Amino acid sequence: MTIKDLLESKAELTHDRRDSNGPVVLSSRIRLARNLASYPFPTRANPAQRREILSTCLSTLKDVTGLKTATVFKNEKLSDLDKKILFERHLISRDLMHSANGSGILISRDQSVVVMVNEEDHLRIQVLRNGFQFKNLWRNIDRIDTAIEEQLHYAFSPKVGYLTACPTNLGTGMRASVMMHLPALITLKQMDKVLRAVSQLGLAVRGLFGEGSDASGSIFQISNQTTLGEGETEIIKRLSSVLDTIYEYEINAREKLLESEPIKLRDKIGRAYGVLRNAGVLTSAETMNLLSLIRLGVDLGTFPAETREMVDRLFIEAQPGHVSYLGQKELESEYRDRLRAHLIRDYFKTIAEPDFHSMEPK
Amino acid sequence: MTIKDLLESKAELTHDRRDSNGPVVLSSRIRLARNLASYPFPTRANPAQRREILSTCLSTLKDVTGLKTATVFKNEKLSDLDKKILFERHLISRDLMHSANGSGILISRDQSVVVMVNEEDHLRIQVLRNGFQFKNLWRNIDRIDTAIEEQLHYAFSPKVGYLTACPTNLGTGMRASVMMHLPALITLKQMDKVLRAVSQLGLAVRGLFGEGSDASGSIFQISNQTTLGEGETEIIKRLSSVLDTIYEYEINAREKLLESEPIKLRDKIGRAYGVLRNAGVLTSAETMNLLSLIRLGVDLGTFPAETREMVDRLFIEAQPGHVSYLGQKELESEYRDRLRAHLIRDYFKTIAEPDFHSMEPK
């Protein structure tokens, strides 16, 4: 598989979708940080050691059930644009984009399992799925982790658990997160209140592209902060219960919004559709905010449910790297904004016109 | 004919259209101010005299060829909304809307001739046509004026010409004007320069709704200021020559705009279409500005030529009085803005989607 294949395997991008929280939860992810006992952490390892770690890890990984057909990318073989695309697809981290030689990425055929080698830790094992799917994800990642551990000797302390390069990952080495679409909480200016409550509960909230990114498209990544002193299933249980609450808050906020400003909401969604369908120039930021309104429109019955999948795809495909890829090179932002508008127009030509019947004030 | 008939006689609203300046000149108008020698000016006349003036004028007018089938509205019989509608259609003046009892309006069946009685002067005779049509207009109004003068004794001084209530109309009593659509001059910020030059030439520039109105929709009304010391045909000739120059300026500005910012222009026109086609709420001001972009789009080949007529109709039908009429009463602005958006969406459903082929940068 090449980056091109990866971009073109659209059917496989969205994984399965059996959850009931589709309207609010875009995707779930669990990652484990692991290190080999016999090597220094990646930043301390010399080039020869990094190469050894990479080759050891990759040969083990290729034996794990489900990863036999996975594709391996060596970091130094990837162009900046390739890495940007993998990052925009949430397959690699910002750290890996800039890491030294000897790093690599393994991506399963369906893109639901990604392992980074020699990022901050020797191994960063990640599983992703659309919707709210922690149970499935945990079962899958636990199986993969166990299979690796049967072959490799992890750095582990009976007292603290798995050892990691950064103390914030010590213990379980686990970070579980979901992407949530919270447009109503944003519109009603209740998001700050939610953020405060969430951080008091030891959870972290970030934008669509992780630490330091903004809440573009009203999308938030919510994850556990602590990895120590709690078992994996306990962490997941606690996180899930907070996410359920945020989900309820968002649904209530939507009801309130529909009750108090149905006309404004209908106007905003209509305009968003009109602009996406007809603009000649679209920046990434504007696109995200307009797509967010369309996704809300899907949830409110303005567009058919299939449109949600298109919107979720566009949240990624409208990012700068993906649009540049269409132009076959890194593009100047002005040309990129035109190409983005072209891409979006073509997608929006394929969907039904909005039907605001369900939103008409009684 | 009732106000309802007048609104529904859409076929007759746009008169004929044989001019070559369609892209820039929306409509032309000539009006003559006349007074009867034997009565004081309207503001000085007592109610009985005003009634006499009205009945004398109307009975004379009904005999003039072309006005035999005209409709007469007595001011006191019209509701505020009726008057608002006549004003928005440029059939009556702001003054007449607020004038005392004893005023009246005569409107020819095709709405191309309107005579106001007991406005500022006893008679305000107006002829209107789409496009740049001074020659036809002058021939027509001169004929009507002559026919009236055969029956009635006008206040006239051999030294100054026709006597009028306000000295600014003395002499010919004539005001000739055109409505011009000058979006490129506005966009390139060249309009101030044009306005200065025009006023130095003794012409007046106003917005779509005359004195005190803004340049909503990039539409300007340009007319002669002086009525004294020049014959009617001289005034028209001088005005026409300035209008030709402004026309050239606008066409040049459009070429410049297409050359320097084709992408931005394409984007703005596309968005305007998208918003008009999909918004749930539209204020009058926003509508005018978006329609202006659509009219420019027609001129640039983005929409078929027939769309221009629809846009010109909407410049009037999207005004508050017309929209209120749809709701069958004076409406609160919030509801009116929804009804306007509904009206506009319905109109825009009937036209072809924009085709930007002709605007693609080479």
Side-chain angles (χ1 to χ4, degrees), chain A residues 72-238:
Chain A
V72 169
F73 296 105
K74 292 201 176 172
N75 214 16
E76 54 261 43
K77 296 272 174 69
L78 293 172
S79 71
D80 285 348
L81 184 54
D82 291 339
K83 284 187 269 192
K84 208 167 167 182
I85 285 170
L86 294 174
F87 173 71
E88 287 172 356
R89 295 176 93 77
H90 303 291
L91 297 176
I92 67 171
S93 63
R94 202 180 292 272
D95 265 13
L96 196 83
M97 286 174 79
H98 305 113
S99 72
N101 283 356
S103 298
I105 311 123
L106 178 140
I107 303 175
S108 71
R109 184 163 280 273
D110 67 356
Q111 300 179 43
S112 72
V113 182
V114 185
V115 185
M116 292 185 280
V117 182
N118 283 329
E119 199 241 25
E120 190 180 274
D121 296 295
H122 293 151
L123 285 165
R124 285 280 177 103
I125 310 161
Q126 302 176 77
V127 290
L128 319 92
R129 257 174 210 264
N130 269 14
F132 197 27
Q133 294 273 355
F134 281 153
K135 241 184 220 164
N136 286 330
L137 286 179
W138 173 246
R139 205 162 38 228
N140 197 23
I141 202 165
D142 189 36
R143 179 186 62 74
I144 294 167
D145 184 43
T146 305
I148 299 170
E149 202 162 12
E150 279 163 13
Q151 305 292 324
L152 298 176
H153 188 203
Y154 280 158
F156 182 84
S157 140
K159 205 164 149 200
V160 294
Y162 293 100
L163 302 178
T164 54
C166 176
T168 56
N169 290 310
L170 273 178
T172 58
M174 185 181 83
R175 182 94 60 215
S177 67
V178 291
M179 292 286 183
M180 293 187 108
H181 182 229
L182 306 173
L185 287 173
I186 290 267
T187 306
L188 292 180
K189 299 196 193 332
Q190 297 180 353
M191 201 55 212
D192 279 350
K193 209 175 61 187
V194 172
L195 293 184
R196 270 197 305 278
V198 165
S199 71
Q200 277 170 4
L201 292 166
L203 304 182
V205 181
R206 302 188 172 97
L208 179 58
F209 292 103
E211 215 154 342
S213 68
D214 62 359
S216 181
S218 301
I219 297 173
F220 295 87
Q221 189 191 100
I222 303 170
S223 63
N224 64 308
Q225 281 272 48
T226 48
T227 53
L228 200 60
E230 260 182 321
E232 290 86 350
T233 47
E234 276 167 276
I235 293 173
I236 288 173
K237 203 171 148 193
R238 199 161 56 84

Side-chain angles (χ1 to χ4, degrees), chain A residues 267 271 277 280-281 286 353, chain B residues 267 271 277 280-281 286 353:
Chain A
D267 183 54
R271 284 168 185 255
R277 180 84 174 72
V281 180
E286 185 184 12
E353 294 210 14
Chain B
D267 183 54
R271 284 168 185 253
R277 179 86 175 72
V281 180
E286 185 185 14
E353 294 209 14

Side-chain angles (χ1 to χ4, degrees), chain A residues 49 55 117 123 125 168 238 243 274 282-283 298 308 315 332:
Chain A
Q49 288 174 314
S55 103
V117 182
L123 285 165
I125 310 161
T168 56
R238 199 161 56 84
L243 296 178
L282 281 169
T283 64
V298 176
R308 191 183 290 127
F315 275 136
E332 304 230 345

Side-chain angles (χ1 to χ4, degrees), chain B residues 172-290:
Chain B
T172 57
M174 185 181 81
R175 181 95 59 215
S177 66
V178 291
M179 292 284 183
M180 294 187 105
H181 182 230
L182 306 173
L185 287 173
I186 290 267
T187 307
L188 292 179
K189 300 196 193 328
Q190 295 180 358
M191 202 54 211
D192 279 350
K193 211 175 62 188
V194 172
L195 292 185
R196 270 198 305 277
V198 165
S199 71
Q200 277 170 3
L201 291 167
L203 304 181
V205 181
R206 302 190 172 96
L208 177 59
F209 291 103
E211 215 155 342
S213 68
D214 62 359
S216 180
S218 301
I219 297 173
F220 295 87
Q221 189 191 101
I222 302 169
S223 63
N224 64 307
Q225 281 273 46
T226 49
T227 53
L228 201 59
E230 260 182 319
E232 290 87 349
T233 48
E234 277 168 274
I235 292 172
I236 289 173
K237 204 172 147 191
R238 201 161 55 82
L239 178 61
S240 299
S241 125
V242 178
L243 297 178
D244 281 342
T245 309
I246 298 176
Y247 175 83
E248 290 300 328
Y249 280 161
E250 170 65 17
I251 296 295
N252 288 340
R254 289 179 185 192
E255 274 164 21
K256 203 169 152 191
L257 209 55
L258 260 179
E259 222 169 274
S260 62
E261 353 188 316
I263 295 160
K264 205 167 148 190
L265 195 58
R266 182 253 170 270
D267 183 54
K268 280 168 77 177
I269 294 173
R271 284 168 185 253
Y273 170 79
V275 170
L276 290 167
R277 179 86 175 72
N278 294 285
V281 180
L282 281 169
T283 64
S284 172
E286 185 185 14
T287 304
M288 293 300 283
N289 291 328
L290 297 177

Side-chain angles (χ1 to χ4, degrees), chain B residues 86-129:
Chain B
L86 293 174
F87 173 71
E88 288 172 356
R89 295 176 94 76
H90 303 290
L91 297 176
I92 67 171
S93 63
R94 201 179 293 272
D95 265 14
L96 196 83
M97 287 174 76
H98 305 113
S99 72
N101 283 356
S103 298
I105 311 123
L106 177 140
I107 303 175
S108 72
R109 184 162 280 273
D110 67 357
Q111 300 179 42
S112 72
V113 183
V114 185
V115 184
M116 292 185 281
V117 182
N118 284 328
E119 197 240 25
E120 189 180 275
D121 295 295
H122 293 151
L123 286 165
R124 286 281 177 104
I125 311 160
Q126 303 176 78
V127 290
L128 319 93
R129 258 174 208 264

